[in-house]
Amino acid sequence: MPLRVLVIANQKGGVGKTTTAINLGTALAAVGERVLLIDSDPQGNASTGLGVGRAQRTTTLYDVLIGGQPIADAVVKTALPGLDLIPGDADLSGVELELGHAPRRSFKLRDALEPVRRDGAYSYVLVDCPPSLNLLTVNALAAADAVLVPLQCEFFALEGLTQLVRTIDLVRGSLNPLLEIQGVVLTMYDRRNSLSEQVARDVRSHFGPAVYATVIPRNVRVSEAPSFGKPVLVYDLKCAGSQAYLKLAREVVQRERQRRVAA
Ligand code: ADP
Ligand code: MG
């Protein structure tokens, strides 16, 4: 099956991008997919959350984007079979300046992924984006087959999304005409809070079937797990957060299957 590159993007911080990258990646691996997670945020939270500390980040995404290192040289195995990582670190914050007017500056990630697309070792690449629409995010969108948008169930959830949708349209019109939206996932849903329910309803009426049926609940186990360097599925498989990410993984795979049948 051809590789699918899914980019997890929302220029708002704290909406659950990294949490979704780590745990959707883990859940996809758990249902038998071979996943490469790319940490494209200078904060390096996806790397830390997967237990890959600074000392283990010898070759990082920075070396791939700026140094032209083959992506294979930057692959780190995680504790989970089926889930590998390209680590990110603070160096990434220099990418925008360092690429300047370099040729193909928006295609650095796409070019780096060419051998990964060819060799078939992975079925999914997930890219965790920084909380901005900078050159790292543009590189991710240019390299992507589809975008997955996490949306936090809070009052201003829909604000800023217009900007993301506009950016996706711009990228489609110039760098990547085939870019799709895989889906919108509601995160940190609190069923005791009527605002969560209201936001969920608004988002569904705005985005219709693009919104996954699966909703990720606010769950303290999810927020504890990264401090142990573990995905929540490893930290506490039975908790509601883990079960939700497994459900989301099945839904993502199902959408991909339907897309292939339709194509
Ligand atoms: P982003 O990558 O979009 O900035 P994060 O994934 O880092 O967002 O999440 C922001 C904060 O919210 C983190 O502290 C994270 O642990 C917490 N968080 C994310 N999802 C959940 C959840 N389902 N339940 C509880 N806390 C969550
Ligand atoms: Mg993040």
Side-chain angles (χ1 to χ4, degrees):
M1 239 150 17
L3 172 74
R4 291 291 282 173
V5 177
L6 305 183
V7 161
I8 299 168
N10 185 332
Q11 79 276 19
K12 243 178 144 174
V15 298
K17 287 182 291 297
T18 300
T19 304
T20 297
I22 292 173
N23 294 302
L24 176 62
T26 303
L28 284 169
V31 299
E33 302 294 337
R34 289 152 297 130
V35 183
L36 178 64
L37 172 53
I38 299 182
D39 185 355
S40 186
D41 183 345
Q43 294 185 68
N45 291 343
S47 308
T48 314
L50 281 169
V52 177
R54 299 233 143 63
Q56 286 167 270
R57 300 180 208 168
T58 42
T59 306
T60 67
L61 181 62
Y62 175 85
D63 302 305
V64 173
L65 298 178
I66 300 293
Q69 288 245 24
I71 208 162
D73 293 359
V75 172
V76 177
K77 300 262 167 219
T78 71
L80 280 121
L83 179 63
D84 293 351
L85 171 76
I86 303 292
D89 65 7
D91 287 350
L92 282 171
S93 56
V95 164
E96 185 107 34
L97 271 175
E98 290 187 55
L99 283 178
H101 296 286
R104 298 185 65 74
R105 67 199 288 264
S106 303
F107 293 109
K108 294 290 173 193
L109 185 59
R110 186 189 180 127
D111 291 348
L113 280 171
E114 263 314 305
V116 179
R117 282 199 189 268
R118 270 197 314 269
D119 81 7
Y122 299 103
S123 48
Y124 284 92
V125 167
L126 299 183
V127 185
D128 184 26
C129 286
S132 91
L133 297 172
N134 63 10
L135 190 57
L136 286 171
T137 301
V138 168
N139 260 270
L141 292 175
D145 295 306
V147 194
L148 196 154
V149 183
L151 210 62
Q152 189 183 346
C153 292
E154 55 159 21
F155 189 59
F156 291 114
L158 281 169
E159 270 200 9
L161 221 64
T162 346
Q163 215 185 335
L164 178 62
V165 168
R166 203 183 304 135
T167 304
I168 292 171
D169 284 341
L170 276 173
V171 169
R172 234 184 238 136
S174 52
L175 307 170
N176 186 0
L178 298 179
L179 183 62
E180 295 167 12
I181 294 185
Q182 223 272 348
V184 175
V185 59
L186 293 163
T187 64
M188 293 180 246
Y189 184 87
D190 182 354
R191 65 188 158 78
R192 288 160 307 185
N193 182 339
S194 61
L195 181 61
S196 264
E197 203 182 307
Q198 179 64 46
V199 170
R201 223 178 300 129
D202 288 354
V203 172
R204 284 189 197 284
S205 72
H206 195 271
F207 287 97
V211 186
Y212 299 101
T214 308
V215 169
I216 310 297
R218 183 176 283 284
N219 179 189
V220 67
R221 307 298 272 170
V222 172
S223 56
E224 285 168 3
S227 59
F228 296 91
K230 287 178 179 171
V232 70
L233 280 93
V234 173
Y235 179 63
D236 182 354
L237 178 62
K238 290 216 168 74
C239 76
S242 295
Q243 292 304 308
Y245 274 110
L246 274 171
K247 223 175 126 196
L248 179 64
R250 290 192 202 98
E251 216 179 330
V252 165
V253 170
Q254 178 67 22
R255 284 192 181 188
E256 289 300 328
R257 205 172 287 144
Q258 279 164 354
R259 196 192 52 84
R260 274 197 306 277
V261 171

